[in-house]
Amino acid sequence: MTDLISIITSDDAARRDTALAAVCNSLSRDELLEAAASLDDFRRTSDNLYHRVRALFFLYSIHRYHLPPKLDNIAGHIPFEGHDHLLNRRFQEAIDVFLAEQDENGPGDGISSALAASYHELAFQTLADQVRKSVRTVRGNQWMFRMGHPADNPLRFRKELLDLSMGASPILRESTPVRMDLSHSGWSDIFFLGMDYPAGAKVVNVSVDLGVHGRDSETRPPVEAYLRVIDEPVIRLTSIDLKATATITSLGEVFDFAKDYLGLLKAAVISSGIVPPGIEGSGQRLEDLLASLLGPGKGFELVSSVNDIPKGSRLAVSTNLLAALIGVLMRATGQTTQLVGPLEESERRLVLARAILGEWLGGSGGGWQDSGGVWPGIKLITGEPAGEGDPEHGISRGRLMPSHHVFDEEEIPASARQALQDSLVLVHGGMAQNVGPILEMVTEKYLLRSDKEWQGRQQALNLLDELIDSLKKGDIKALGKATTKNFYGPIQTIIPWATNLFTETLIARAFQHFGDDFWGFWMLGGMSGGGMGFIFAPERKAEAQEKLAEIMVAEKRRLEHALPFAMDPVVYDFSINPKGTAAVLLGGTSPLLPPNYYQIHVPQLLGRQRESLSETQKQDLLHFRQAVDERKEFSRSIHELFDNILPKDEQKNATSGSLTELLRENGFDRELHEDIRSDIREGRLGLSQNRLSTTTTISDVEEDDVLDTLEIDTSGAEAVGQQALSNGEVAVITLAAGAGSRWTGGAGTCKALNPFAPLDGQFRTFLEVHLAKSRRATKSCGMPIPHIFTTSYLTDGPTRRFLDSVHNYQYPGPVLLSKGRSVGLRLVPTVRDLRFAWEEVAQQKLDEQQQKVRDSVRAALINWAEQTGECTDYTDNLPLQCLHPVGHFFEVPNLLLNGTLKYLLENRPQLKTLMLHNIDTLGANVDASLLGLHRMSGDGLSFEMITRRLEDRGGGLARINGMPRLVEGLAMPDEEAEFELSYYNSNTTWIDIDQFLRLMGLTRDDILADETAIIQRAVRELANRLPTYVTLKDVKKRWGHGQEDVFPVAQFEKLWGDLTILPEANAGYFVVPRLRGQQLKDPAQLDGWLRDGSADYVKSLCEW
Amino acid sequence: MKPAKALITSANPADKHLPLQTIVDAKGETKTPLQILLDEIFAAGLESAAVVIAPGETESYREAAGPHADKVEFIVQSEPRGYGHAIVSARDFTGGDPFLLLVGDHLFRSYTEKNCLEQILEVAEKEEATISGVQPTRESHLNLYGTVSASLIPGSKGLFDVSKIVEKPTPTLAEQELFVPGLRAGRYLCFFGMHVLPARAMDLLSDQLASLSPGESLGLTATLNHLANSGKYLALQINGKRFNLGRRYGILRAQLDLSLAGPHRDEVMAMIIETLASEG
């Protein structure tokens, strides 16, 4: 029997570090199943947390990567009951259901995908539970979970803050630097890694003061937290950078994190113990709690500022802000020895523990190095083995809390620190990124000890020593070499997605311009593209700051439609902070908050009756008035105040692409829009109306309904197909009109242009991959295949310019763009639809705290829809983000409307077949056998199906009332029905041109004669026969400095697959290999895609 | 190191009225808290007692001392410069002897035959050490008491070896530094309001006082820590209950507890029920 368990339990490190893949590759299907069964037994009985977790990852890996290729295309059935357990986070129950199905009906690709997902989720849940438990049991945090009544509150505000002898409350200000990490040794600061492999958890990070180059005259700690006592029994929170403020009057509001932009401040209030987590849901009054803290009738005000440092800087701004806020609150309540000045080491550690708690409460989670700004200077942070007395002892090898060694000047002399400052150019590239999936990938690879990645991790640890050594010597050139080696070596070995085309281009251009004076690249944080470091010879630093700003802006302009950018790039000035976090008490007769605080509050106070203002508020107005006269930093305040208060002419500021113009240019049908609005408002259209009637009978298709191309001899068909290709009878249509909402989280870039992965040594766009497949097919048949990309108002211009710039990737045949001829205007959704989407549709429940945050966000969004007006036009965003494409049904009719088909028929009269596919179906190519089968079938439309895996959601092929047809996921009357369907629609379709024209009541002559009116009528009539769906799409709205909000907006669409409703469409269905039909919809899929053979399959179809 | 002298501090301007209130003790007799405390002191076999008071309070305190007035010395603290200063004001009284230190705003009730003072004096007789009476106290009351970091002496009953004393800690600090193995989660050993201090304590306080600027206050915690660091320092878990009269409803709580333990229990119970009933 194959002993995978001993890899987990062995005391021998070499055995323990054996790569799972190395063992599994040589195992047969039955051996793998046997090993999986043993592992499952083992993980159920083991009382060691990390043994269990590792076994779970092994099981995930077996079912995700090793078993499927050995299953001989057996699809299998996924029981809905298991899926339902999975959605509700009952992972154990889900696994039991899936294993029972496997036992009863044998293994299959589908059931393995379900088991893989379940094991994966259970592994992460187990790890997250452990971190949470450790956070709660850190000494100094425990009491907060026991306190449930104001009378039990042991904290009191310090007397100094309650002292009104000068006529105004003093203000306590905490100033905190941010941290930049020289190396995180392969993301070893992820809690899970540090707790399992403390010896490998090592980070060097530096506390820095910042300024934006060209904007700020000097550097300073960018993070500030202010606290003062006020004469109202409330908590007033203000974020200066987010221009948000809230007055909290109840305990429930403190725990409502996502209600506004003040979640971080609320998390600080809770994790500092002021409103301890134990009091949540107690039904007690905030006023009573504040009375016990401060005395009756009093409250406090907490203000945050990050000096407009943009989000995504990779400098852990938000964690250090959380730490600063916690610090100031702890000082105020006597939880530190000193009210002012720096903190003691034990206090810093407690702030770290509280910040970890706060991040967990807020539903996020950084690494343990992120609070680095609390410590001074340059420090080595290391994982610590769990000893007796630690809450983790006996559970995990390492402790949750690392230890910090601050390098003194004997270790790293002042000259070396200066040299670092003189050479490093710190920037924010402007990209918007989500590091979450990367951290999951790292954890997974670590626990699987994937061979290459494990070696990379060891190499990263060696490089850390090299980095520290260079730093100690002040040899910044060597440091640059080491950070570059780190980036191109271990970092990308472990996670290839840590880099991207933007970063690579910046590095190449920096090298091109500065040659040997460019000493190296330094990736900050979890991935590149946002905060980054470039190291130069000191004499060229000033020049490099200017040049990099120029290069970054130019590259952003070039790539902004291809990659998601949240903001324009910036260059920072920085200096090493020698103190860490520190506080001062601002006293005197008129202590002031920062100028921008008053820009938020003064307009509100002026709008109220003077009698209704509290004494503090009256004083604030007075102090502000005095400051405007006397303080330099307030000199422009009155002007800015008026600028904020007085209305602006929005039209005057609008750019050329105003919404009205765009609507006119893109065929917006106002009449149709009003009809749809009215239908949605009256409840005739909506998410629930998308669904087929509950009386519909839905069943899986029968054997004869599909042609399983994997089971038949296709040599005859291949010959037919080859002949058609050689005759030039085929063209390819790639659907590239969409933004790929899931790919960029609604950022509104063009998915087709996204350089999504390095293939054969270069980042390739989706566009390039599709052309590379057609190039290869062209080469084999000897006749250039026309390749058409459909585009929309959003993607047409950028795609056109991009293709021009790359000369169509030297594609030998015609490359055509077919621009959409109609566009819709998004609507604010109805509360009915929002509730339906969130409450009626089954969806993945999140981890407890994250779910709380999500519920809070949703409550806020429902409020937004009500306040803004249900079904009103969605116009509060960039014009392009307000429009929507009207569904891919229209893409083929568009070829008729915009003259593309006419052009093709004129130049290629023999054209008979079109192959249409989605932009993300990377394995779809002009396969001669499938073409031949389509031709031989005589069908008007041949749709390609794949067997279903758990992640393939969104309908499929079904018998609806006895008739086979495609059914969209949003039309399924219930969730369960979808799980009875064996096949998922890849949407790749072979189209017989003449039959399609006949379906529309048209002929080739109508097309060639460009009979616009006839064609338009034909399109409208066909469209009217198809259902209209209302969908909710997430749209990002960007604001401030890299901030993004996501709004669900309503839009309508008609879908291509619904043509199968029409018997005269004469649709047929092929079952094709999964690798051909699967879709790449989410960047989180990339790693698996690269590892499971999908990428190799695609490469095998391409010729670059 | 059994002391023969007891010292009560009662000079804090905020609390000086407390020992002068009227209360019915566990025997059903009406007394002042000061008299109840003095009853226990002399019942425990101590020979003399002194009370440190604020200026101008001598007569009222003498009156409140009742039958003990003649055996008690009243020492005036010249200026309000803290707890430590109040103690050192009685240096002439304690002379070179160890002494029992009590606070005037506390009353005690023992759960055993021996009163609370007798319990600590019994240990003092056997041990050559500084001894503080302590009681496991919920973390929500930490802001009221001095708290010790200590470990149980193996084989002993309720006797701890003290390593550190922190005055009114936050629970955050208590969890990190004042954790006592064996106590329930969220409970710490807090002062009971009585200490047996060696004569050296007075020397230490005097030395510290000399190093202070005029007007600066002197506490006791630094001295206690010094004693813990330089010699044997024990904490005895008193088998009884302390009443901090200075807390909100402190006198009411003490009175209720004493009356329910005494001969008027039924009367008090009836009174409580009547009050509750009339409140609806």
Side-chain angles (χ1 to χ4, degrees), chain A residues 814-1008:
Chain A
V815 175
L816 305 173
L817 295 191
S818 163
K819 191 181 176 191
R821 301 294 286 193
S822 47
V823 75
L825 176 58
R826 286 170 167 154
L827 296 170
V828 174
T830 60
V831 172
R832 183 184 66 233
D833 278 343
L834 289 176
R835 288 199 189 283
F836 187 86
W838 296 335
E839 292 166 16
E840 297 292 323
V841 179
Q843 55 196 292
Q844 183 66 64
K845 198 169 162 190
L846 301 179
D847 185 46
E848 184 189 354
Q849 200 61 32
Q850 290 171 337
Q851 183 68 33
K852 262 192 211 170
V853 175
R854 180 158 88 176
D855 291 343
S856 168
V857 170
R858 288 178 170 179
L861 286 169
I862 284 178
N863 191 37
W864 162 75
E866 280 172 339
Q867 300 287 322
T868 318
E870 299 173 74
C871 284
T872 53
D873 293 342
Y874 176 72
T875 54
D876 184 25
N877 204 331
L878 294 174
L880 284 174
Q881 292 284 70
C882 301
L883 306 186
H884 72 88
V886 288
H888 50 47
F889 156 74
F890 289 99
E891 300 299 356
V892 176
N894 281 339
L895 299 179
L896 281 60
L897 291 165
N898 64 23
T900 307
L901 187 63
K902 174 172 181 272
Y903 174 86
L904 283 169
L905 294 179
E906 281 169 351
N907 291 282
R908 193 68 75 92
Q910 70 274 36
L911 192 68
K912 285 188 181 149
T913 307
L914 299 172
M915 188 196 82
L916 170 143
H917 69 89
N918 284 359
I919 188 75
D920 43 28
T921 315
L922 286 163
N925 71 334
V926 190
D927 180 88
S929 305
L930 292 169
L931 171 60
L933 287 171
H934 164 68
R935 284 291 183 89
M936 290 157 71
S937 72
D939 289 337
L941 301 168
S942 297
F943 286 87
E944 294 187 7
M945 304 291 122
I946 53 174
T947 53
R948 180 180 294 279
R949 278 189 182 170
L950 188 75
E951 62 269 27
D952 297 328
R953 304 296 318 283
L957 181 60
R959 277 184 162 248
I960 306 291
N961 295 334
M963 293 294 294
R965 57 163 275 205
L966 293 174
V967 57
E968 292 294 333
L970 33 79
M972 295 300 260
D974 64 67
E975 311 284 328
E976 194 169 352
E978 190 173 342
F979 280 78
E980 297 304 318
L981 309 182
S982 298
Y983 300 110
Y984 177 71
N985 177 20
S986 76
N987 211 37
T988 304
T989 319
W990 298 90
I991 306 165
D992 181 303
I993 294 174
D994 294 297
Q995 287 199 53
F996 188 76
L997 290 176
R998 261 204 305 285
L999 178 67
M1000 299 186 76
L1002 298 171
T1003 63
R1004 285 187 181 233
D1005 290 341
D1006 293 331
I1007 304 301
L1008 290 167

Side-chain angles (χ1 to χ4, degrees), chain A residues 139-143 146 152 154 156 334-335 350 354, chain B residues 138-140 143 170-172 175-176 179 185-186 188:
Chain A
R139 288 216 178 115
N141 281 358
Q142 295 172 18
W143 68 270
R146 290 191 290 259
D152 288 341
R156 300 287 181 272
Q335 296 179 76
L350 195 61
R354 296 280 175 88
Chain B
R138 284 179 59 202
E139 60 201 357
S140 53
N143 58 321
T170 61
T172 305
E175 239 167 48
Q176 292 181 301
F179 172 71
Y188 299 92

Side-chain angles (χ1 to χ4, degrees), chain A residues 688-720:
Chain A
S688 65
Q689 287 71 24
N690 288 340
R691 293 185 163 186
L692 293 168
S693 135
T694 46
T695 56
T696 312
T697 55
I698 299 181
S699 57
D700 199 11
V701 285
E702 293 168 7
E703 209 175 318
D704 290 345
D705 293 334
V706 296
L707 179 64
D708 191 342
T709 66
L710 307 173
E711 299 290 325
I712 56 169
D713 176 11
T714 58
S715 51
E718 188 179 359
V720 172

Side-chain angles (χ1 to χ4, degrees), chain A residues 137-149:
Chain A
T137 50
V138 167
R139 288 216 178 115
N141 281 358
Q142 295 172 18
W143 68 270
M144 297 190 292
F145 292 89
R146 290 191 290 259
M147 208 211 95
H149 192 282

Side-chain angles (χ1 to χ4, degrees), chain A residues 561 750 753 791-803 817 819:
Chain A
H561 294 292
C750 306
L753 308 185
T791 61
S792 64
Y793 63 93
L794 189 67
T795 64
D796 190 70
T799 309
R800 213 170 277 280
R801 286 192 293 277
F802 184 83
L803 278 171
L817 295 191
K819 191 181 176 191

